[in-house]
Amino acid sequence: MRQLEPGLVAGRLDPAEYTKNFSDLHPRLGDHEALVAADRCYFCHDAPCMTACPTAIDIPLFIRQISTGNPVGSAKTIFDQNIMGGMCARVCPTETLCEEACVRNTAEERPVEIGRLQRYATDLAIDEGRQFYAPAASLGTNIAVVGAGPAGLACAHRLALHGHNVTIYEAREKAGGLNEYGIAAYKTTGDFAQREVDYILSIGGIDVLDGQMLGRDFTLADLQAKHDAVFLGMGLGGVNMLGTQGDAVNGVIDAVEFISNLREADSKADVPVGRRVVVIGGGMTAIDAAVQAKLLGAEEVTLCYRRGQEHMNASQYEQDLATSKGVVIRHWLQPKGVASHNGQVTAITLEYTLVEDGVMKGSGQLVDIKADHVLVAIGQKLDGFGIETVKLDGRKIAVDAEGRTSVPGIWAGGDCAAGGDDLTVSGVAMGRDAAESINRALAAKAAITSAVA
Ligand SMILES: Cc1cc2nc3c(=O)[nH]c(=O)nc-3n(C[C@H](O)[C@H](O)[C@H](O)COP(=O)(O)OP(=O)(O)OC[C@H]3O[C@@H](n4cnc5c(N)ncnc54)[C@H](O)[C@@H]3O)c2cc1C
Ligand code: SF4
């Protein structure tokens, strides 16, 4: 029975509804389904899907391996390029990456289901505990990696393969970064994020120190003194809030925190949600927060974005997913303030926006939407504490094409570094490529040292 009282209320739904609502969005394909899906691939020699994948997985090869009955070999093909192929298969916006580029993606046809095939192969290998890699003989080097998110883990794994010892310093109590704390619960069900972390670390040579935060527990100079190189993969720890008096009102919260609480809750029934929820933002986080608020039993969920539908960062697929769950998306509205009663939000005031001479501005016309829960998803920002010596490019760490920062011996990648797409798969690509660059730099240094000796 749905609970309709106003305010932040936990347990709005029956237990069975939570189970249904938070089940796997795209369950794993069965053996026969996988063969049928693989059979649709044309195995293009100049496969555009490969170019569209930020980690350049050999997609025609891994699909061919599935269709010839070799899913474990297929998993190895995927992991060779992307050790987080399991999570990427679940969370990549394939509709704007590999599947958008598929030659079968036409008005008459649908693309090959690359993401679901990738999940089929990688899940099988992880479930069977197939380990394809072992660290090379130790080179006696030790690299510091800051942050155990997709970028840090991909970097650490590739460094270990080359024979470097790696120490990961992770501020939180669990590794995984936003795979553990941010991705929508219906995209990664069960404990897959931690199982994937365990799989990655099981090659050996990587130590993870949890609860160790750069800028609080140690400095960058400490890491430079103790390690041969440093990789910064700390993501974007800060969030933008409304900047009005609304930030201090009960019921107005950061959408990432809302999602993190949901991901970490023992039971979804423990997570409070409003009866009328307003989400501010137009990206993936806004959509994920809105959909999950609806799935927790909110009666009305309205997502407000300050520009038009075509400007939203969330893909058309994600927007459609939200509307199919009952989320109402409204455009050309920006927040102006919130109304409250006894310290609890009761409504949000928004201003209609318009574009004049190419510049978006407020129109002066206001509208109030009743709300007992406002989720703010207007972007994350770099928490620069502890990295003051490293140059920034805009609001992120400046890096060159190999991930080198302005400070010799320090690399960076993932969301904290300029130039990425703020996606799991781009974090993995940047971490992996920085590891290759670190390996080359240390090999060159070792060659010079041995020539001098
Ligand atoms: C709500 C939400 C939903 C998303 N959904 C998707 C999706 O569906 N698909 C997709 O492709 N992408 C999604 N993304 C983006 C994706 O999660 C990120 O691009 C990706 O996690 C970036 O990886 P990263 O390793 O750079 O950073 P993170 O995943 O943020 O990991 C950084 C790690 O560093 C640690 N850390 C931070 N500061 C310090 C410090 N000072 N010292 C030590 N450790 C530190 C953090 O605790 C964290 O573990 C989503 C993002 C959000 C916020
Ligand atoms: S990693 Fe993502 S973009 Fe690349 S092939 Fe797999 S699902 Fe597509």
Side-chain angles (χ1 to χ4, degrees), residues 152-313:
L153 288 166
C155 181
H157 187 266
R158 189 54 70 100
L159 286 167
L161 283 186
H162 284 299
H164 304 284
N165 295 317
V166 183
T167 307
I168 304 184
Y169 297 84
E170 167 53 50
R172 298 186 79 150
E173 59 288 350
K174 277 193 209 168
L178 289 169
N179 284 358
E180 172 62 33
Y181 295 103
I183 298 291
Y186 50 82
K187 290 186 189 169
T188 171
T189 55
D191 61 349
F192 181 74
Q194 284 311 302
R195 288 202 296 125
E196 186 175 58
V197 169
D198 293 344
Y199 180 75
I200 292 170
L201 298 180
S202 68
I203 60 158
I206 306 171
D207 288 330
V208 183
L209 305 180
D210 291 329
Q212 289 297 306
M213 186 177 187
L214 171 64
R216 183 191 66 194
D217 303 313
F218 53 89
T219 66
L220 206 44
D222 294 336
L223 294 183
Q224 287 173 288
K226 270 172 58 182
H227 297 276
D228 297 282
V230 178
F231 174 79
L232 300 174
M234 74 262 286
L236 299 172
V239 287
N240 299 316
M241 287 301 283
L242 294 179
T244 64
Q245 86 288 1
D247 290 350
V249 171
N250 271 342
V252 178
I253 66 162
D254 151 29
V256 179
E257 185 189 329
F258 169 71
I259 294 171
S260 171
N261 291 341
L262 182 63
R263 281 292 306 275
E264 297 306 303
D266 290 334
S267 159
K268 304 284 181 281
D270 296 340
V271 184
V273 69
R275 179 178 177 185
R276 295 191 176 97
V277 180
V278 171
V279 182
I280 307 293
M284 210 179 252
T285 304
I287 295 280
D288 286 353
V291 170
Q292 291 180 108
K294 197 78 184 119
L295 298 180
L296 283 173
E299 187 184 1
E300 288 170 16
V301 179
T302 311
L303 185 151
C304 300
Y305 177 56
R306 66 197 170 119
R307 287 179 174 270
Q309 193 259 330
E310 65 282 17
H311 304 111
M312 287 177 74
N313 274 339

Side-chain angles (χ1 to χ4, degrees), residues 53-55 57 59 82 88 92 94 97-98 114-115 118 425:
C53 169
T55 51
I57 292 173
I59 296 166
N82 180 340
C88 288
C92 271
T94 52
L97 297 170
C98 51
I114 299 169
Q118 180 171 311
V425 65

